[in-house]
Amino acid sequence: MRNIVLLTGSSHPKLAQRISESLGVELSSCKLGKFSNQETSVEIKDSVREKHVYIIQSGCGRVNDNLIELLILIQ
């Protein structure tokens, strides 16, 4: 499972941690936050080139913020 990258948004970090433990794959380093104007900031620290990327992000809670975060992670 060397070619798998697990990324998680901020919607459900505990679920992402449990999934990563179950699969035996570490969560990739990703910095999530907001700029001073409240726009969403996402910075993926690890390389995802030539790898299978799986993003764990739910649509509950702050739906708009979670959806925008997901779309930025996909981009």
Side-chain angles (χ1 to χ4, degrees):
M1 287 198 177
R2 298 182 323 201
N3 289 336
I4 293 179
V5 174
L6 284 178
L7 295 173
T8 183
S10 61
S11 68
H12 211 303
K14 289 181 183 178
L15 174 64
Q17 187 62 40
R18 290 184 67 192
I19 291 171
S20 74
E21 289 170 1
S22 177
L23 293 174
V25 176
E26 284 189 42
L27 286 171
S28 293
S29 180
C30 185
K31 183 179 175 186
L32 306 167
K34 296 277 187 182
F35 291 113
S36 61
N37 63 355
Q38 297 305 307
E39 293 293 323
T40 302
S41 166
V42 175
E43 182 181 348
I44 300 171
K45 305 278 185 165
D46 299 330
S47 174
V48 295
R49 260 186 218 279
E50 305 276 330
K51 296 187 180 178
H52 299 281
V53 179
Y54 296 91
I55 301 172
I56 304 165
Q57 176 79 327
S58 69
C60 63
R62 303 176 331 246
V63 177
N64 185 51
D65 290 339
N66 292 340
L67 178 62
I68 294 300
E69 204 172 80
L70 175 63
L71 293 173
I72 293 172
L73 281 165
I74 290 170
Q75 182 186 11

